[in-house]
Amino acid sequence: MKAFLILEDGHVFTGTGIGSDREVISEIVFNTSMTGYLEVLTDPSYAGQAVVMTYPLIGNYGVCRADMESAKAWPDGYIVRELSRKPSNFRSEETIQDFLEEQDIPGIAGIDTRALTKILREKGTMNGMITRNEQFDLEEVTAKLKGYAPSGAVKKVTCKEKNILPGSGYKVALMDFGAKNNIARSLNDRGCEVTIYPASSSAEEILAAQPDGIMLSNGPGDPKECTEIIGEIRKLYESDVPIFAICLGHQLMALAAGCDTYKLKYGHRGGNHPVKDLATGRVYISSQNHGYVVDTSRLDEKVAVPAFVNVNDGTNEGLSYTGKNIFTVQFHPEACPGPQDSAYLFDRFLKMMEGRKHA
């Protein structure tokens, strides 16, 4: 069936409908990963967004549920050049088309995703509509798109109750703002007992459990919208418990410490973003998914200093907090783009907990 992608600037792309047949309005973003489409679809950080995959063939190795980063798919929509109908992979359990239908994710295939990505790069991220209604009124739709503003994304994706992954080592409290499964798994594989807390949990509850360390997870949306969460993180910041934060957690910690954030023109999303460790000078290939970044132009070095920088555009990719057992990164060390270039950061977190334990 014919489908349409309509952008708020009036561009219309015509293709074939895939997945669910429902109509959706969402923020349109692009991801440059060549593989990992299932991890993208099940990453809670994409809640409130429709994802354009720049790689031209998606679905060729099917769907293997063991690779899912959460229990369900989160994007509002999915946009591809070509969708493979016959996957070839001994691990495949179903086609991506069946998965999209099952997860009620509407999408569109057969459009020029390269042209679409160039528009988003030149004009910036914008809202769009995926529809199978051939009778749409372009003026009416674009007016609706310009007035669309998503909110409440973290509340939508966080867990509903506390969950514990047993371990014999350090006790880690993981704040779930939309955490990918591999964050808890990376800690669990290192022997940690991981207690996953809903985003609404208070600092008092977390500190009362006497964790050896605290993880602040990735997640979707504008960090400045999370005012109550920032207030609780400020209390965690004042404690002496080691803290490691990723992506949205990195931004929320910065805001809690008095720093600022701003929205990027089109964000960083993909598995091929180079970041430089300023302490060693080494460059790592990282997986990223964010539309906001910490503003270091007025960063007070008495609060924090830059620890990582994006090699492509010079934006901040991590902070080390002055006089605190806190370090944060904008990218995803639990992902495997390099394939495990930055996994050492979890080991650094364990050494911080060990140092505090024997202090």
Side-chain angles (χ1 to χ4, degrees), residues 109-166:
I111 70 168
D112 188 343
T113 51
R114 183 177 181 180
L116 172 57
T117 301
K118 287 178 73 174
I119 291 169
L120 297 176
R121 280 180 58 91
E122 290 167 8
K123 296 191 174 183
T125 297
M126 64 181 82
N127 295 327
M129 172 188 283
I130 298 173
T131 181
R132 299 189 186 185
N133 176 18
E134 297 189 37
Q135 308 303 317
F136 66 85
D137 181 305
L138 183 58
E139 189 174 326
E140 184 180 303
V141 171
T142 53
K144 187 184 294 186
L145 291 174
K146 289 173 182 176
Y148 174 76
S151 63
V154 170
K155 188 178 293 185
K156 178 181 178 182
V157 302
T158 189
C159 60
K160 305 306 178 190
E161 55 187 27
K162 188 168 67 173
N163 181 37
I164 299 176
L165 299 179

Short mmCIF file of all heavy atoms in Angstrom, two decimals, residues 109-166:
data_model
loop_
_atom_site.label_atom_id
_atom_site.label_comp_id
_atom_site.label_asym_id
_atom_site.label_seq_id
_atom_site.Cartn_x
_atom_site.Cartn_y
_atom_site.Cartn_z
N ALA A 109 8.84 2.48 3.34
CA ALA A 109 10.01 2.00 2.63
C ALA A 109 9.96 2.52 1.19
O ALA A 109 8.92 2.96 0.71
CB ALA A 109 10.06 0.48 2.65
N GLY A 110 11.10 2.42 0.51
CA GLY A 110 11.14 2.78 -0.90
C GLY A 110 11.34 4.25 -1.18
O GLY A 110 11.16 4.70 -2.31
N ILE A 111 11.71 5.03 -0.16
CA ILE A 111 11.97 6.45 -0.40
C ILE A 111 13.48 6.70 -0.45
O ILE A 111 14.28 5.84 -0.03
CB ILE A 111 11.33 7.36 0.67
CG1 ILE A 111 12.03 7.20 2.02
CG2 ILE A 111 9.84 7.06 0.82
CD1 ILE A 111 11.64 8.25 3.03
N ASP A 112 13.88 7.85 -0.94
CA ASP A 112 15.29 8.21 -1.04
C ASP A 112 15.76 8.71 0.33
O ASP A 112 15.66 9.90 0.65
CB ASP A 112 15.47 9.29 -2.10
CG ASP A 112 16.94 9.60 -2.40
OD1 ASP A 112 17.80 9.23 -1.58
OD2 ASP A 112 17.22 10.22 -3.44
N THR A 113 16.26 7.79 1.16
CA THR A 113 16.68 8.16 2.52
C THR A 113 17.92 9.04 2.52
O THR A 113 18.16 9.78 3.46
CB THR A 113 16.93 6.90 3.37
OG1 THR A 113 17.80 6.01 2.66
CG2 THR A 113 15.62 6.18 3.66
N ARG A 114 18.70 8.95 1.44
CA ARG A 114 19.88 9.83 1.34
C ARG A 114 19.44 11.28 1.18
O ARG A 114 19.97 12.18 1.85
CB ARG A 114 20.74 9.39 0.16
CG ARG A 114 22.03 10.19 0.02
CD ARG A 114 22.89 9.68 -1.12
NE ARG A 114 24.13 10.43 -1.24
CZ ARG A 114 25.06 10.18 -2.14
NH1 ARG A 114 24.90 9.19 -3.01
NH2 ARG A 114 26.17 10.91 -2.19
N ALA A 115 18.45 11.51 0.31
CA ALA A 115 17.93 12.87 0.11
C ALA A 115 17.28 13.38 1.39
O ALA A 115 17.45 14.54 1.78
CB ALA A 115 16.93 12.89 -1.04
N LEU A 116 16.53 12.50 2.06
CA LEU A 116 15.87 12.88 3.31
C LEU A 116 16.89 13.27 4.37
O LEU A 116 16.74 14.28 5.07
CB LEU A 116 14.99 11.72 3.80
CG LEU A 116 14.36 11.85 5.19
CD1 LEU A 116 13.51 13.10 5.30
CD2 LEU A 116 13.53 10.60 5.51
N THR A 117 17.95 12.49 4.49
CA THR A 117 18.99 12.78 5.48
C THR A 117 19.69 14.10 5.18
O THR A 117 19.99 14.87 6.10
CB THR A 117 20.02 11.63 5.52
OG1 THR A 117 19.35 10.40 5.86
CG2 THR A 117 21.11 11.91 6.55
N LYS A 118 19.92 14.40 3.92
CA LYS A 118 20.55 15.67 3.54
C LYS A 118 19.66 16.85 3.95
O LYS A 118 20.16 17.88 4.41
CB LYS A 118 20.83 15.70 2.04
CG LYS A 118 22.00 14.79 1.63
CD LYS A 118 22.22 14.82 0.12
CE LYS A 118 22.84 16.12 -0.32
NZ LYS A 118 23.18 16.10 -1.77
N ILE A 119 18.35 16.69 3.82
CA ILE A 119 17.42 17.74 4.24
C ILE A 119 17.52 17.96 5.74
O ILE A 119 17.59 19.10 6.22
CB ILE A 119 15.97 17.38 3.84
CG1 ILE A 119 15.80 17.43 2.32
CG2 ILE A 119 14.97 18.32 4.51
CD1 ILE A 119 14.49 16.84 1.83
N LEU A 120 17.56 16.86 6.51
CA LEU A 120 17.63 16.97 7.97
C LEU A 120 18.97 17.55 8.42
O LEU A 120 19.04 18.26 9.43
CB LEU A 120 17.40 15.60 8.60
CG LEU A 120 16.03 14.96 8.36
CD1 LEU A 120 15.97 13.56 8.96
CD2 LEU A 120 14.91 15.83 8.96
N ARG A 121 20.03 17.24 7.69
CA ARG A 121 21.34 17.81 8.02
C ARG A 121 21.39 19.31 7.72
O ARG A 121 21.97 20.09 8.47
CB ARG A 121 22.45 17.10 7.24
CG ARG A 121 22.88 15.77 7.84
CD ARG A 121 23.98 15.13 7.00
NE ARG A 121 25.13 16.01 6.90
CZ ARG A 121 26.17 16.00 7.74
NH1 ARG A 121 26.19 15.18 8.77
NH2 ARG A 121 27.19 16.82 7.56
N GLU A 122 20.80 19.71 6.62
CA GLU A 122 20.86 21.11 6.21
C GLU A 122 19.88 21.99 6.98
O GLU A 122 20.21 23.12 7.37
CB GLU A 122 20.57 21.21 4.71
CG GLU A 122 21.70 20.64 3.85
CD GLU A 122 21.29 20.44 2.40
OE1 GLU A 122 20.19 20.89 2.02
OE2 GLU A 122 22.06 19.84 1.65
N LYS A 123 18.68 21.48 7.22
CA LYS A 123 17.65 22.28 7.89
C LYS A 123 17.51 21.96 9.37
O LYS A 123 16.88 22.72 10.11
CB LYS A 123 16.31 22.09 7.19
CG LYS A 123 16.29 22.60 5.75
CD LYS A 123 14.88 22.62 5.19
CE LYS A 123 14.85 23.26 3.82
NZ LYS A 123 13.47 23.37 3.28
N GLY A 124 18.07 20.83 9.79
CA GLY A 124 17.94 20.42 11.19
C GLY A 124 16.79 19.46 11.38
O GLY A 124 15.90 19.33 10.52
N THR A 125 16.80 18.78 12.52
CA THR A 125 15.73 17.85 12.86
C THR A 125 14.38 18.56 12.81
O THR A 125 14.26 19.69 13.28
CB THR A 125 15.97 17.28 14.28
OG1 THR A 125 17.19 16.55 14.28
CG2 THR A 125 14.84 16.37 14.70
N MET A 126 13.39 17.89 12.24
CA MET A 126 12.06 18.49 12.17
C MET A 126 10.99 17.43 12.37
O MET A 126 11.28 16.22 12.35
CB MET A 126 11.85 19.24 10.86
CG MET A 126 11.88 18.38 9.61
SD MET A 126 11.66 19.37 8.10
CE MET A 126 13.32 19.96 7.83
N ASN A 127 9.77 17.88 12.57
CA ASN A 127 8.66 16.95 12.74
C ASN A 127 8.17 16.44 11.39
O ASN A 127 8.37 17.08 10.35
CB ASN A 127 7.50 17.64 13.48
CG ASN A 127 7.87 18.02 14.89
OD1 ASN A 127 8.66 17.34 15.54
ND2 ASN A 127 7.31 19.11 15.38
N GLY A 128 7.52 15.28 11.43
CA GLY A 128 6.98 14.71 10.20
C GLY A 128 5.80 13.81 10.50
O GLY A 128 5.54 13.46 11.65
N MET A 129 5.08 13.45 9.44
CA MET A 129 3.94 12.54 9.55
C MET A 129 4.12 11.38 8.59
O MET A 129 4.51 11.57 7.43
CB MET A 129 2.63 13.26 9.24
CG MET A 129 1.42 12.32 9.15
SD MET A 129 -0.08 13.13 8.55
CE MET A 129 -0.59 14.00 10.04
N ILE A 130 3.86 10.17 9.07
CA ILE A 130 3.79 8.99 8.21
C ILE A 130 2.32 8.62 8.10
O ILE A 130 1.64 8.42 9.12
CB ILE A 130 4.59 7.81 8.80
CG1 ILE A 130 6.08 8.16 8.91
CG2 ILE A 130 4.41 6.56 7.94
CD1 ILE A 130 6.90 7.12 9.64
N THR A 131 1.80 8.57 6.89
CA THR A 131 0.38 8.31 6.69
C THR A 131 0.15 7.51 5.41
O THR A 131 0.96 7.58 4.47
CB THR A 131 -0.42 9.63 6.62
OG1 THR A 131 -1.80 9.34 6.45
CG2 THR A 131 0.05 10.50 5.46
N ARG A 132 -0.93 6.75 5.38
CA ARG A 132 -1.34 6.05 4.16
C ARG A 132 -2.58 6.70 3.55
O ARG A 132 -3.16 6.19 2.60
CB ARG A 132 -1.61 4.58 4.47
CG ARG A 132 -0.37 3.86 5.01
CD ARG A 132 -0.56 2.36 5.12
NE ARG A 132 0.58 1.74 5.78
CZ ARG A 132 0.74 0.42 5.93
NH1 ARG A 132 -0.19 -0.41 5.47
NH2 ARG A 132 1.81 -0.06 6.54
N ASN A 133 -2.95 7.85 4.08
CA ASN A 133 -4.10 8.60 3.58
C ASN A 133 -3.68 9.43 2.36
O ASN A 133 -2.94 10.40 2.48
CB ASN A 133 -4.65 9.51 4.68
CG ASN A 133 -5.78 10.39 4.20
OD1 ASN A 133 -6.39 10.14 3.15
ND2 ASN A 133 -6.07 11.44 4.95
N GLU A 134 -4.15 9.05 1.20
CA GLU A 134 -3.78 9.75 -0.04
C GLU A 134 -4.49 11.09 -0.19
O GLU A 134 -4.14 11.89 -1.07
CB GLU A 134 -4.08 8.87 -1.25
CG GLU A 134 -3.27 7.57 -1.26
CD GLU A 134 -3.41 6.81 -2.57
OE1 GLU A 134 -3.48 7.46 -3.63
OE2 GLU A 134 -3.46 5.57 -2.52
N GLN A 135 -5.47 11.37 0.65
CA GLN A 135 -6.26 12.60 0.53
C GLN A 135 -5.81 13.69 1.50
O GLN A 135 -6.57 14.58 1.84
CB GLN A 135 -7.75 12.28 0.78
CG GLN A 135 -8.31 11.14 -0.05
CD GLN A 135 -8.15 11.36 -1.54
OE1 GLN A 135 -8.39 12.47 -2.03
NE2 GLN A 135 -7.75 10.32 -2.26
N PHE A 136 -4.57 13.61 1.97
CA PHE A 136 -4.12 14.59 2.97
C PHE A 136 -4.07 15.99 2.38
O PHE A 136 -3.83 16.19 1.18
CB PHE A 136 -2.75 14.19 3.53
CG PHE A 136 -1.62 14.23 2.54
CD1 PHE A 136 -0.94 15.41 2.26
CD2 PHE A 136 -1.20 13.07 1.87
CE1 PHE A 136 0.11 15.46 1.37
CE2 PHE A 136 -0.16 13.11 0.96
CZ PHE A 136 0.49 14.30 0.70
N ASP A 137 -4.30 16.99 3.26
CA ASP A 137 -4.20 18.40 2.91
C ASP A 137 -2.84 18.89 3.39
O ASP A 137 -2.60 18.98 4.61
CB ASP A 137 -5.33 19.19 3.57
CG ASP A 137 -5.31 20.67 3.21
OD1 ASP A 137 -4.27 21.32 3.42
OD2 ASP A 137 -6.35 21.18 2.75
N LEU A 138 -1.93 19.20 2.47
CA LEU A 138 -0.54 19.52 2.83
C LEU A 138 -0.46 20.72 3.76
O LEU A 138 0.28 20.71 4.75
CB LEU A 138 0.28 19.78 1.57
CG LEU A 138 1.77 20.07 1.79
CD1 LEU A 138 2.44 18.91 2.52
CD2 LEU A 138 2.47 20.34 0.46
N GLU A 139 -1.22 21.76 3.49
CA GLU A 139 -1.18 22.96 4.33
C GLU A 139 -1.66 22.66 5.75
O GLU A 139 -1.07 23.11 6.73
CB GLU A 139 -2.06 24.05 3.70
CG GLU A 139 -1.93 25.41 4.37
CD GLU A 139 -2.69 26.50 3.65
OE1 GLU A 139 -2.78 26.44 2.39
OE2 GLU A 139 -3.20 27.41 4.32
N GLU A 140 -2.71 21.85 5.83
CA GLU A 140 -3.25 21.48 7.14
C GLU A 140 -2.27 20.61 7.92
O GLU A 140 -2.06 20.80 9.13
CB GLU A 140 -4.57 20.73 6.93
CG GLU A 140 -5.30 20.35 8.20
CD GLU A 140 -6.59 19.60 7.91
OE1 GLU A 140 -7.44 20.16 7.18
OE2 GLU A 140 -6.74 18.47 8.41
N VAL A 141 -1.63 19.66 7.23
CA VAL A 141 -0.68 18.76 7.89
C VAL A 141 0.55 19.53 8.38
O VAL A 141 0.99 19.35 9.52
CB VAL A 141 -0.25 17.62 6.94
CG1 VAL A 141 0.90 16.82 7.55
CG2 VAL A 141 -1.42 16.69 6.66
N THR A 142 1.12 20.39 7.54
CA THR A 142 2.34 21.12 7.95
C THR A 142 2.06 22.05 9.13
O THR A 142 2.91 22.23 10.01
CB THR A 142 2.92 21.91 6.77
OG1 THR A 142 1.91 22.75 6.20
CG2 THR A 142 3.47 20.99 5.70
N ALA A 143 0.87 22.63 9.18
CA ALA A 143 0.51 23.48 10.32
C ALA A 143 0.47 22.66 11.60
O ALA A 143 0.93 23.10 12.67
CB ALA A 143 -0.83 24.15 10.07
N LYS A 144 -0.08 21.45 11.48
CA LYS A 144 -0.16 20.55 12.65
C LYS A 144 1.24 20.12 13.08
O LYS A 144 1.55 20.05 14.29
CB LYS A 144 -1.00 19.33 12.28
CG LYS A 144 -1.30 18.41 13.45
CD LYS A 144 -2.06 17.16 12.99
CE LYS A 144 -3.44 17.50 12.48
NZ LYS A 144 -4.23 16.27 12.17
N LEU A 145 2.10 19.85 12.11
CA LEU A 145 3.46 19.41 12.42
C LEU A 145 4.27 20.49 13.13
O LEU A 145 5.03 20.21 14.05
CB LEU A 145 4.18 18.99 11.14
CG LEU A 145 3.66 17.72 10.46
CD1 LEU A 145 4.36 17.51 9.12
CD2 LEU A 145 3.85 16.51 11.35
N LYS A 146 4.11 21.73 12.70
CA LYS A 146 4.86 22.83 13.32
C LYS A 146 4.45 23.08 14.77
O LYS A 146 5.22 23.61 15.56
CB LYS A 146 4.68 24.10 12.49
CG LYS A 146 5.41 24.06 11.16
CD LYS A 146 5.08 25.26 10.28
CE LYS A 146 5.78 25.16 8.93
NZ LYS A 146 5.40 26.25 8.01
N GLY A 147 3.25 22.65 15.11
CA GLY A 147 2.77 22.85 16.47
C GLY A 147 2.97 21.65 17.38
O GLY A 147 2.61 21.68 18.55
N TYR A 148 3.59 20.59 16.83
CA TYR A 148 3.76 19.35 17.61
C TYR A 148 4.99 19.43 18.50
O TYR A 148 6.08 19.81 18.04
CB TYR A 148 3.87 18.16 16.66
CG TYR A 148 4.20 16.85 17.36
CD1 TYR A 148 3.22 16.16 18.08
CD2 TYR A 148 5.48 16.31 17.30
CE1 TYR A 148 3.53 14.97 18.72
CE2 TYR A 148 5.80 15.11 17.93
CZ TYR A 148 4.81 14.45 18.63
OH TYR A 148 5.10 13.27 19.27
N ALA A 149 4.85 19.08 19.77
CA ALA A 149 5.97 19.05 20.70
C ALA A 149 5.80 17.89 21.67
O ALA A 149 4.91 17.91 22.53
CB ALA A 149 6.07 20.37 21.47
N PRO A 150 6.62 16.83 21.55
CA PRO A 150 6.50 15.68 22.45
C PRO A 150 6.95 16.03 23.86
O PRO A 150 7.76 16.94 24.06
CB PRO A 150 7.42 14.64 21.82
CG PRO A 150 8.43 15.45 21.08
CD PRO A 150 7.71 16.68 20.59
N SER A 151 6.43 15.31 24.85
CA SER A 151 6.84 15.52 26.25
C SER A 151 6.61 14.25 27.04
O SER A 151 5.91 13.34 26.59
CB SER A 151 6.05 16.68 26.87
OG SER A 151 4.67 16.38 26.91
N GLY A 152 7.19 14.19 28.23
CA GLY A 152 6.97 13.06 29.13
C GLY A 152 7.58 11.75 28.69
O GLY A 152 7.11 10.68 29.06
N ALA A 153 8.67 11.81 27.91
CA ALA A 153 9.25 10.60 27.35
C ALA A 153 9.85 9.67 28.41
O ALA A 153 9.68 8.46 28.35
CB ALA A 153 10.31 10.96 26.31
N VAL A 154 10.56 10.23 29.39
CA VAL A 154 11.20 9.39 30.42
C VAL A 154 10.14 8.64 31.23
O VAL A 154 10.30 7.45 31.52
CB VAL A 154 12.09 10.24 31.34
CG1 VAL A 154 12.55 9.43 32.55
CG2 VAL A 154 13.29 10.76 30.58
N LYS A 155 9.08 9.31 31.59
CA LYS A 155 7.99 8.67 32.33
C LYS A 155 7.40 7.51 31.55
O LYS A 155 6.99 6.50 32.11
CB LYS A 155 6.90 9.70 32.64
CG LYS A 155 5.81 9.21 33.59
CD LYS A 155 4.79 10.30 33.87
CE LYS A 155 5.40 11.43 34.67
NZ LYS A 155 4.38 12.44 35.07
N LYS A 156 7.40 7.64 30.24
CA LYS A 156 6.84 6.60 29.37
C LYS A 156 7.70 5.34 29.33
O LYS A 156 7.19 4.22 29.27
CB LYS A 156 6.69 7.17 27.95
CG LYS A 156 6.16 6.20 26.91
CD LYS A 156 6.09 6.87 25.54
CE LYS A 156 5.62 5.90 24.47
NZ LYS A 156 5.61 6.55 23.12
N VAL A 157 9.03 5.50 29.38
CA VAL A 157 9.91 4.36 29.15
C VAL A 157 10.49 3.72 30.41
O VAL A 157 10.97 2.58 30.36
CB VAL A 157 11.09 4.76 28.23
CG1 VAL A 157 10.58 5.28 26.91
CG2 VAL A 157 12.00 5.79 28.89
N THR A 158 10.47 4.41 31.55
CA THR A 158 11.10 3.87 32.75
C THR A 158 10.35 2.65 33.29
O THR A 158 9.16 2.47 33.01
CB THR A 158 11.21 4.95 33.84
OG1 THR A 158 12.00 4.46 34.93
CG2 THR A 158 9.83 5.34 34.37
N CYS A 159 11.05 1.82 34.05
CA CYS A 159 10.41 0.65 34.66
C CYS A 159 9.40 1.12 35.71
O CYS A 159 9.49 2.22 36.25
CB CYS A 159 11.44 -0.27 35.29
SG CYS A 159 12.44 0.48 36.60
N LYS A 160 8.42 0.27 36.00
CA LYS A 160 7.35 0.64 36.93
C LYS A 160 7.69 0.30 38.38
O LYS A 160 7.13 0.90 39.31
CB LYS A 160 6.04 -0.07 36.54
CG LYS A 160 5.62 0.18 35.09
CD LYS A 160 5.54 1.67 34.77
CE LYS A 160 5.18 1.90 33.30
NZ LYS A 160 5.32 3.32 32.91
N GLU A 161 8.58 -0.65 38.57
CA GLU A 161 8.96 -1.03 39.94
C GLU A 161 10.41 -1.47 39.99
O GLU A 161 11.02 -1.78 38.97
CB GLU A 161 8.05 -2.14 40.46
CG GLU A 161 8.01 -3.37 39.58
CD GLU A 161 6.98 -4.38 40.04
OE1 GLU A 161 5.98 -3.99 40.67
OE2 GLU A 161 7.18 -5.58 39.75
N LYS A 162 10.95 -1.48 41.20
CA LYS A 162 12.35 -1.85 41.41
C LYS A 162 12.60 -3.31 41.03
O LYS A 162 11.76 -4.17 41.26
CB LYS A 162 12.70 -1.60 42.88
CG LYS A 162 14.15 -1.76 43.23
CD LYS A 162 14.44 -1.21 44.61
CE LYS A 162 13.76 -2.02 45.69
NZ LYS A 162 14.16 -1.60 47.05
N ASN A 163 13.76 -3.56 40.45
CA ASN A 163 14.12 -4.92 40.03
C ASN A 163 15.59 -5.17 40.38
O ASN A 163 16.42 -4.27 40.26
CB ASN A 163 13.90 -5.06 38.52
CG ASN A 163 14.23 -6.45 38.02
OD1 ASN A 163 13.98 -7.44 38.70
ND2 ASN A 163 14.82 -6.53 36.83
N ILE A 164 15.90 -6.38 40.83
CA ILE A 164 17.26 -6.70 41.26
C ILE A 164 17.86 -7.82 40.41
O ILE A 164 17.23 -8.87 40.22
CB ILE A 164 17.30 -7.12 42.75
CG1 ILE A 164 16.80 -5.98 43.64
CG2 ILE A 164 18.72 -7.51 43.17
CD1 ILE A 164 16.71 -6.34 45.11
N LEU A 165 19.07 -7.58 39.89
CA LEU A 165 19.84 -8.61 39.21
C LEU A 165 20.93 -9.06 40.19
O LEU A 165 21.85 -8.29 40.49
CB LEU A 165 20.49 -8.06 37.94
CG LEU A 165 19.55 -7.52 36.86
CD1 LEU A 165 20.35 -6.99 35.68
CD2 LEU A 165 18.59 -8.60 36.41
N PRO A 166 20.83 -10.28 40.73
CA PRO A 166 21.75 -10.74 41.78
C PRO A 166 23.20 -10.78 41.32
O PRO A 166 23.50 -11.01 40.14
CB PRO A 166 21.25 -12.16 42.10
CG PRO A 166 19.86 -12.22 41.57
CD PRO A 166 19.84 -11.32 40.38
#
